[in-house]
Amino acid sequence: RARPVLIYVWYPADESAEAPRMVYGEYSFASPADPSLFPLVSRLQEREVHSTLYPFFDGQRGSVIDLMNAGLSAVRDAKPLPGSFPLVVYSADLRGASGENALLCEYLASHGYVVATTHALGAMLPDPAANLDDLESLVRDKEFAIAELSGWPQCDGDKVASAGRGFGALAALVLAMRNTDVCAVVTLGEWTAGSDRAELISRCGAYRPERLRASSLSFAVEEEAAEVLAAIEPFAHSTRFL
């Protein structure tokens, strides 16, 4: 059976004051047009609520409900603006929700970018683990998203950026190393955390620092700066920013 890949896309659109804005719950449960995806989306929403949101809010159900009803800026199925825009492909953290960085995705779209992400799925199980098979699956899902969006008139295929947070940053780096169409890569957060991640990415067949020609931008809190700086040091052919 085909691997289910649900792509979330933000894009520059005509703004209408009367258009209803989305709430966060519409990212958590995307209501896909294909009903065969409903069991998967339900499973992913359950994972987000119980693995991420309840622990973050100390088990307070009311706070989770408030978040689901929180209004955002995007309008579902809005009319796209004419023109061609750079594409940013975003990779969520390990087991991260597709809408985990919805505010950033909406902000980029409002400033002239098409932004796409997919849910984090393992190679054999819904929940990915920190291993090579699942890292490869995360990267291939993003490659599929790029291929799907390449036919969009709003996407400029000559301007593609790869971005990711945490474990997703590893996928963003691998994506940039084996796809020369990617001209920029952005990493957010503790993607270098722990020697296990450094060892994991070094064993990835596509991990070739000499292939990384895309400009790279890494964000880190001050305590992680030295570790991140050491991690991006091998990217000798990339213009690097920390």
Side-chain angles (χ1 to χ4, degrees):
R1 293 178 180 176
R3 177 179 174 84
V5 181
L6 183 63
I7 305 173
Y8 294 63
V9 185
W10 294 261
Y11 51 88
D14 280 333
E15 186 173 5
S16 171
E18 295 77 26
R21 276 10 187 206
M22 293 179 64
V23 297
Y24 182 77
E26 293 180 87
Y27 289 136
S28 184
F29 192 93
S31 297
D34 184 349
S36 67
L37 288 172
F38 269 58
L40 172 66
V41 175
S42 297
R43 172 69 179 83
L44 295 173
Q45 183 188 44
E46 179 184 22
R47 180 178 76 187
E48 178 185 10
V49 170
H50 291 283
S51 299
T52 303
L53 299 183
Y54 271 150
F56 181 80
F57 289 115
D58 295 324
Q60 298 180 26
R61 184 172 180 269
S63 297
V64 175
I65 294 175
D66 288 343
L67 173 62
M68 291 298 173
N69 292 322
L72 298 170
S73 298
V75 174
R76 189 178 182 122
D77 299 327
K79 180 182 178 182
L81 282 178
S84 182
F85 306 96
L87 171 64
V88 179
V89 182
Y90 177 79
S91 298
D93 198 2
L94 193 66
R95 303 183 188 179
S98 295
E100 71 162 23
N101 229 328
L103 293 181
L104 174 62
C105 296
E106 291 184 351
Y107 180 83
L108 290 173
S110 72
H111 282 68
Y113 295 86
V114 175
V115 185
T117 188
T118 63
H119 42 262
L121 285 178
M124 301 296 291
L125 298 171
D127 294 345
N131 60 48
L132 286 176
D133 286 344
D134 288 357
L135 176 60
E136 171 70 11
S137 294
L138 296 176
V139 173
R140 293 178 72 175
D141 284 348
K142 299 304 179 292
E143 291 174 332
F144 175 76
I146 292 174
E148 284 291 300
L149 290 170
S150 64
W152 272 36
Q154 293 90 356
C155 281
D156 184 347
D158 292 327
K159 296 178 180 177
V160 180
S162 174
R165 182 181 76 87
F167 193 83
L170 301 185
L173 283 166
V174 172
L175 180 67
M177 286 178 183
R178 73 182 192 192
N179 290 275
T180 55
D181 286 342
V182 176
C183 55
V185 58
V186 181
T187 60
L188 308 170
E190 305 173 76
W191 62 277
T192 58
S195 59
D196 54 336
R197 285 190 179 178
E199 193 267 341
L200 175 68
I201 195 171
S202 69
R203 290 191 293 112
C204 178
Y207 180 72
R208 305 288 177 83
E210 69 275 8
R211 290 183 181 174
L212 187 62
R213 306 281 174 164
S215 297
S216 59
L217 173 64
S218 295
F219 289 95
V221 297
E222 187 174 0
E223 291 78 11
E224 302 166 1
E227 185 178 0
V228 173
L229 186 62
I232 65 176
E233 189 63 31
F235 307 153
H237 301 294
S238 172
T239 303
R240 290 159 288 174
F241 303 89
L242 175 64

